[in-house]
């Protein structure tokens, strides 16, 4: 009887925690969306002013454009996370060549502001894995985007692919700002952003949470090694 009561207690605890985290998620998501909406409203007011010049008007349109892109990126990320969790979209995994796939993803990646950062690839041919191309391209895209975003001007990014007995791995290394232990513990949480990463063109702290979920869906793991001021290396391991 006692054992049954304990089981119920821990079940309710778990449910409570999961409701709490859902509530937190909704509240964080609303907050993140409210910021660009407020900016868009303010810019509409500004351009409606009687004394608004043509320059003011153009500047407002540019800001509105920027903010709507930000909202659209956020909504897309939110949808991806929800779909992954609800399983409403099916993402079949199939075995195919990872080498060519990773190379193409990197070559097709377009960085808005490369800041003189060079991208080098070390991708041997013929490595295969079971993966979903849509999801895996999102993983590579997110890691590359962060490597550029938190990389240093005129720095370097190295993408490596390899395999050993445990499986195959993709690593993305930058020589940028790096992070301390406390930050490393939090980066996988949704909406987490280190203080120094908040800014105009930053995301909402959902990228790595998404990466972690996608990699888990592949039965793999993702980890980071980093040092402040030296850079970070993210490694995704996929099972054989
Ligand atoms: P976002 O980049 O939108 O803030 P992410 O989930 O992609 O969200 O990353 C979460 C946080 O992890 C970032 O805000 C940043 O502090 C840290 N981070 C991620 N990638 C790197 C990197 N390559 N170098 C240093 N810090 C990073």
């Amino acid at each position: 009887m006692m054992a049954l009561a304990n089981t119920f207690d821990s079940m309710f605890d778990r449910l409570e925690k999961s409701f709490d985290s859902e509530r937190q998620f909704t509240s964080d998501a609303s907050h993140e969306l409210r910021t660009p909406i407020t900016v868009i409203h303010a810019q509409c007011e500004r351009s409606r002013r009687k004394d608004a010049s043509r320059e003011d008007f153009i500047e407002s349109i540019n800001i509105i454009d920027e903010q709507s892109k930000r909202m659209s990126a956020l909504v897309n990320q939110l949808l991806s996370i929800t779909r992954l969790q609800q399983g409403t979209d099916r993402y079949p995994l199939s075995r195919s060549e990872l080498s060519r796939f990773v190379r193409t993803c990197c070559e097709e990646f377009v960085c808005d502001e490369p800041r003189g950062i060079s991208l080098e690839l070390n991708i041997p041919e013929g490595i295969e894995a079971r993966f979903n191309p849509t999801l895996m391209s999102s993983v590579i895209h997110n890691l590359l985007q962060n490597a550029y975003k938190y990389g240093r001007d005129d720095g370097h990014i190295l993408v490596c692919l390899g395999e050993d007995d445990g499986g195959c791995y993709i690593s993305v290394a930058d020589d940028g700002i790096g992070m301390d232990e406390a930050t490393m513990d939090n980066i996988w949480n949704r909406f987490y952003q280190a203080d120094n990463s908040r800014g105009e063109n930053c995301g909402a702290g959902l990228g790595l949470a998404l990466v972690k979920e996608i990699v888990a869906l592949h039965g793999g793991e993702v980890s980071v090694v980093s040092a402040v001021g030296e850079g970070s290396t993210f490694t995704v391991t996929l099972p054989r």
Side-chain angles (χ1 to χ4, degrees), residues 25-121:
F25 182 59
T26 315
S27 139
D28 288 341
S30 319
H31 180 80
E32 287 295 332
L33 282 168
R34 213 164 53 180
T35 313
I37 290 173
T38 308
V39 177
I40 288 176
H41 274 313
Q43 292 305 322
C44 290
E45 286 305 315
R46 176 188 171 192
S47 42
R48 262 196 220 113
R49 267 189 349 227
K50 284 211 179 65
D51 60 343
S53 66
R54 187 179 152 74
E55 283 70 38
D56 287 337
F57 199 71
I58 292 175
E59 200 184 317
S60 291
I61 297 281
N62 287 339
I63 296 175
I64 291 172
D65 186 37
E66 195 57 48
Q67 294 299 319
S68 58
K69 281 191 194 127
R70 189 177 173 158
M71 281 172 72
S72 134
L74 177 61
V75 169
N76 283 338
Q77 276 184 321
L78 288 171
L79 276 175
S80 306
I81 287 190
T82 319
R83 282 198 193 120
L84 266 182
Q85 284 185 333
Q86 295 183 335
T88 41
D89 271 14
R90 268 188 287 131
Y91 293 107
L93 309 186
S94 62
R95 197 168 177 81
S96 58
E97 210 195 289
L98 189 61
S99 301
R100 207 175 310 127
F101 182 79
V102 175
R103 179 175 292 282
T104 310
C105 285
C106 294
E107 285 170 355
E108 285 176 355
F109 180 84
V110 179
C111 176
D112 293 339
E113 263 188 281
R115 294 168 18 247
I117 300 176
S118 66
L119 173 62
E120 197 187 321
L121 309 181

Side-chain angles (χ1 to χ4, degrees), residues 77 142-151 172-180 183-184 186-198 201-211 224 226-227 231-234:
Q77 276 184 321
N142 271 299
L143 294 180
L144 274 181
Q145 204 167 37
N146 282 347
Y148 276 100
K149 200 152 71 174
Y150 306 111
V172 179
D174 66 66
D175 51 4
I177 63 171
M179 56 192 126
D180 57 24
T183 305
M184 272 190 264
N186 285 309
I187 52 172
W188 311 106
N189 297 335
R190 294 161 178 180
F191 297 109
Y192 174 82
Q193 294 187 293
D195 285 342
N196 59 7
S197 20
R198 289 186 183 275
N201 293 318
C202 287
L206 283 173
L208 288 178
L210 196 59
V211 164
V224 64
S226 184
S232 313
T233 302
F234 285 84

Side-chain angles (χ1 to χ4, degrees), residues 225-239:
V225 176
S226 184
V228 174
E230 288 178 26
S232 313
T233 302
F234 285 84
T235 305
V236 170
T237 314
L238 298 175

